[in-house]
């Protein structure tokens, strides 16, 4: 943990998750939160949306934003001191398998087999431990893509919204010759990503890149390191459906002709909207993975 954070939790219907994500982006453009959404065990139609802020959100702005989407009412803002409360909670998480990948913490090293592609993901701030359905779907897609097209090694890969860098790490491990750019809008997330890559011996402690992995702070795709490395043969984005749609034109420009999009962070009910946005960029669906209510989409961009 590198600093305090502030948590706002809201329960809403599945259909409002995307709208709520967009409203957070608009209302707190100067203090953007990291968003996570989870279906409740006792009611799969109800979702809890957690918004983590790096500084205290304005309570009046928060109430106005929630009222605009029909969620008026008192909302608690919980201060989370900089401590290892995440590590304590996540130390009990079991290893997760997705195809040949095994996502594990240091506490479960004995679970790793020689045949596994091991991804060591330790607890950090709320940037992902690889246990969510969206991450599993993406890992299955990367494994499938690597097996399905072994003769085609993507030499340039972009991971947008990398979080803990689990997907960038997975891509770098199966495509060793590729240059991978891992980006996130949040500098704390990039710090966590670098720590993850160091622990997996993918980058040295003293620098941002080795074996082709480069971590950059970027708002969307507007960063010099991304623009200089474009176009990419594989573009990965595990973010929510709203940002996926809004960024479709930029993503289309960043993807090389004949390149691949791997898109996730969206509900099954949101597939049609995301697919429509990327069809406008000349992409067509190759395969999808659905786990629970969540979807991961693999698309190919047309040539010319």
């Amino acid at each position: 943990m590198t600093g305090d954070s502030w948590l706002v939790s809201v329960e809403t219907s599945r259909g409002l998750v995307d709208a709520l994500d967009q409203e957070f982006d608009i209302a707190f453009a100067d203090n953007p939160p990291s968003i996570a959404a989870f279906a409740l065990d006792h009611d799969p139609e109800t979702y809890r949306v957690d918004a983590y802020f790096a500084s205290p959100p304005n309570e009046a702005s928060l109430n106005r934003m929630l009222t605009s989407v029909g969620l008026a009412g008192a909302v608690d803002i919980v201060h989370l001191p900089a401590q290892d409360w995440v590590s304590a909670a996540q130390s009990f998480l079991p290893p997760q398998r997705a195809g040949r990948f095994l996502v594990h913490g240091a506490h479960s090293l004995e679970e790793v087999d020689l045949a596994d592609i091991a991804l060591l993901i330790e607890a950090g701030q709320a940037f992902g431990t690889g246990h969510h359905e969206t991450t599993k779907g993406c890992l299955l897609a990367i494994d499938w893509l690597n097996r399905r097209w072994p003769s085609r090694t993507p030499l340039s890969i972009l991971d947008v919204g990398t979080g803990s860098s689990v997907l960038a790490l997975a891509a770098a491990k199966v495509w060793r010759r590729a240059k991978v750019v891992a980006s996130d809008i949040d500098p704390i997330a990039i710090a966590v990503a670098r720590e993850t890559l160091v622990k997996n011996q993918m980058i040295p402690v003293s620098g941002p890149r080795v074996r082709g992995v480069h971590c950059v702070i970027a708002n969307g795709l507007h960063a010099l390191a991304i623009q200089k490395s474009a176009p990419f043969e594989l573009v990965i984005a595990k973010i929510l459906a709203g940002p996926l749609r809004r960024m479709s034109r930029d993503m289309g420009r960043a993807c090389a002709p004949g390149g691949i999009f791997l898109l996730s962070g969206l509900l099954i009910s949101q597939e049609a909207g995301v697919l429509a946005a990327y069809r406008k960029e000349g992409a067509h669906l190759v395969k999808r993975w659905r786990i629970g209510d969540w979807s991961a989409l693999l698309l190919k961009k047309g040539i010319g």
Side-chain angles (χ1 to χ4, degrees), residues 86-97:
V86 175
S87 297
Q90 292 179 353
S91 65
F92 297 102
L93 291 175
Q96 291 289 312
R97 292 190 180 275

Side-chain angles (χ1 to χ4, degrees), residues 219-267:
N219 183 359
L221 280 74
H222 303 294
L224 184 60
I226 293 176
Q227 294 171 1
K228 287 177 66 175
S229 299
F232 297 90
E233 294 178 75
L234 173 60
V235 177
I236 303 168
K238 186 180 73 70
I239 51 183
L240 294 178
L244 283 174
R245 291 197 305 269
R246 293 195 296 274
M247 295 166 61
S248 60
R249 180 171 294 182
D250 287 341
M251 299 264 273
R253 291 171 179 160
C255 187
I260 299 293
F261 296 103
L262 173 54
L263 311 176
S264 192
L266 63 145
L267 297 165

Side-chain angles (χ1 to χ4, degrees), residues 18-19 22 30 43 91 94 129 141 191 246 251 255 264 271:
D18 195 31
Q22 293 183 47
D30 59 341
D43 181 6
S91 65
T129 59
R246 293 195 296 274
M251 299 264 273
C255 187
S264 192
E271 284 183 356

Side-chain angles (χ1 to χ4, degrees), residues 86-173:
V86 175
S87 297
Q90 292 179 353
S91 65
F92 297 102
L93 291 175
Q96 291 289 312
R97 292 190 180 275
R100 290 173 296 163
F101 292 110
L102 179 71
V103 183
H104 68 96
H107 61 283
S108 53
L109 284 171
E110 70 280 357
E111 300 287 336
V112 180
D113 293 329
L114 289 177
D116 293 328
I117 303 174
L119 309 176
L120 174 59
I121 307 295
E122 294 288 26
Q125 282 200 331
F127 300 111
T129 59
H131 287 69
H132 194 265
E133 292 93 334
T134 55
T135 306
K136 184 174 183 179
C138 287
L139 290 174
L140 289 171
I142 291 170
D143 187 32
W144 181 87
L145 191 60
N146 181 246
R147 288 175 178 271
R148 176 67 175 77
W149 293 333
S151 62
R152 176 173 178 175
T153 298
L155 298 179
S156 55
I157 300 171
L158 173 63
D159 179 19
V160 180
T162 194
S164 63
S165 78
V166 60
L167 300 180
L169 172 62
K173 285 210 168 188

Side-chain angles (χ1 to χ4, degrees), residues 63-82:
N63 286 328
R64 282 196 301 271
M65 184 271 289
L66 293 174
T67 299
S68 72
V69 293
L71 295 173
V75 177
D76 289 332
I77 301 173
V78 180
H79 175 218
L80 304 174

Side-chain angles (χ1 to χ4, degrees), residues 8 61 105 159 177 182 201 214 217 240 282 294:
V8 173
S61 297
D159 179 19
R177 294 173 54 210
Q201 300 180 336
H214 187 193
I217 300 168
L240 294 178
W294 299 92

